[in-house]
Amino acid sequence: MTQVVQIHAIDNVAVALRPLKAGESITFFGGRHVALQDIPQGHKLALERIPAGKPVIKYDYSIGNASVDILPGHLVHTHNMRTVLTEKSTSEYR
């Protein structure tokens, strides 16, 4: 069963398709990680180390910057990421 979806190969996060438990092994695009925290369904899981200040990439698009270092397998959400989107932001899928 697919556990996460990584939309684009350069995305550094994937979306949990079901709740993931800390310690659970996750596979994606041929890669494998262990969830280091519980990840609620529909939330983001870091697929690689994202240093503080660096972009969080989802859908081949920067959706924000890490506010702290984020490790692979960690939940990515408002507690460790700041959005770069504004009300006037537009995006285009490539």
Side-chain angles (χ1 to χ4, degrees), residues 38-91:
D38 289 344
I39 311 290
Q41 182 175 352
H43 286 260
K44 295 173 294 300
L45 167 83
L47 299 177
E48 60 189 52
R49 182 178 177 275
I50 308 171
K54 295 299 181 182
V56 174
I57 308 295
K58 181 180 174 188
Y59 310 124
D60 187 24
Y61 187 80
S62 175
I63 61 168
N65 293 320
S67 57
V68 297
D69 288 346
I70 304 171
L71 298 176
H74 275 187
L75 171 68
V76 178
H77 200 53
T78 57
H79 69 288
N80 58 7
M81 183 191 93
R82 299 287 179 255
T83 186
V84 293
L85 304 176
T86 67
E87 289 182 23
K88 295 181 182 183
S89 292
T90 62
S91 61

Side-chain angles (χ1 to χ4, degrees), residues 11-31:
D11 291 353
N12 57 13
V13 296
V15 177
L17 298 177
R18 62 172 179 76
L20 305 173
K21 293 289 186 187
E24 186 175 347
S25 181
I26 308 302
T27 57
F28 64 96
F29 268 118

